[in-house]
Amino acid sequence: MDRIVDAADVSSDEVALEIGTGLGRLSARLAARARTVISVEIDGRLHEVARRHLREFANVRLLREDFLESKH
């Protein structure tokens, strides 16, 4: 995951958008570098796990949504 964050080259003045929060592990790494992280998870159970894991990060906004809902 660190390689993904390194490759994204996120800086402290940027907003990172993550689709598919999962357990929130990548979100936490992004939060350490980005000004804000907006992370979207459709699954209610994963959303709850991630919410608990990410509560310490004031710069993370976790949404429970279907990001692709309006695609079609």
Side-chain angles (χ1 to χ4, degrees):
M1 281 190 233
D2 289 330
R3 290 188 346 195
I4 294 170
V5 175
D6 288 341
D9 196 26
V10 178
S11 67
S12 61
D13 63 338
E14 293 182 305
V15 175
L17 173 63
E18 178 186 23
I19 307 303
T21 309
L23 300 174
R25 292 183 181 132
L26 181 59
S27 303
R29 285 177 169 83
L30 289 168
R33 296 194 188 185
R35 177 174 50 95
T36 304
V37 176
I38 300 170
S39 192
V40 184
E41 177 57 56
I42 191 172
D43 184 278
R45 292 171 294 182
L46 287 174
H47 180 270
E48 278 304 308
V49 171
R51 187 182 62 77
R52 288 192 302 271
H53 180 70
L54 297 168
R55 75 176 103 189
E56 67 185 78
F57 297 97
N59 63 332
V60 174
R61 182 166 181 209
L62 182 58
L63 304 174
R64 183 172 176 236
E65 302 286 336
D66 181 354
F67 186 80
L68 298 176
E69 178 181 6
S70 65
K71 181 180 177 191
H72 301 287

